[in-house]
Amino acid sequence: QSCGTPVIAYGKGGALETVVGLGSPKSTGIFFKDQTIASLTDAIKRFEVSGNSISPSNCRENALRFGEARFQKEFKEFVTLKLNTN
C-alpha cells in the first residue's frame, strides 16, 4: 500500500486493521472470505472488475497511518499519559 498498490487480503486478523475494503470511499483492497482457492479466485475476479476504483493515493495515505512519525508521537503520548496518571 505504501507504494500505492492495492491489496487482496484474507478478511480476518491484522488485514482488517490495515486494509480498507472495497465499498469504502477510500478503499485500499479487496478481502477474500475463506482460505480456499475458490474464495481467492473470486476476490481476484472482483479486483479485475472493480480494482480501478482503488486509487493509488488512497493506498499510500492509508499506509502512512502506520508510519514511524505517527508511531513515535502516539507512543510518547501514551507513555506521558501513563506516567501522569500514577
Side-chain angles (χ1 to χ4, degrees):
Q1 292 182 91
S2 64
C3 294
T5 305
V7 176
I8 297 174
Y10 180 49
K12 294 203 177 169
L16 294 175
E17 297 176 19
T18 58
V19 178
V20 180
L22 198 61
S24 168
K26 293 199 169 202
S27 62
T28 64
I30 293 176
F31 294 111
F32 58 97
K33 182 179 176 182
D34 302 306
Q35 292 181 329
T36 63
I37 293 171
S39 185
L40 180 56
T41 301
D42 176 64
I44 292 169
K45 288 177 182 176
R46 286 185 289 124
F47 177 79
E48 289 174 341
V49 171
S50 305
N52 291 338
S53 66
I54 302 172
S55 81
S57 61
N58 286 347
C59 293
R60 176 76 178 146
E61 181 182 323
N62 186 54
L64 291 175
R65 296 186 305 137
F66 306 99
E68 184 178 344
R70 179 179 175 220
F71 173 80
Q72 288 177 354
K73 175 184 175 283
E74 291 183 9
F75 187 79
K76 182 178 179 181
E77 289 171 355
F78 174 80
V79 170
T80 301
L81 177 68
K82 292 300 178 184
L83 288 174
N84 291 331
T85 59
N86 291 329

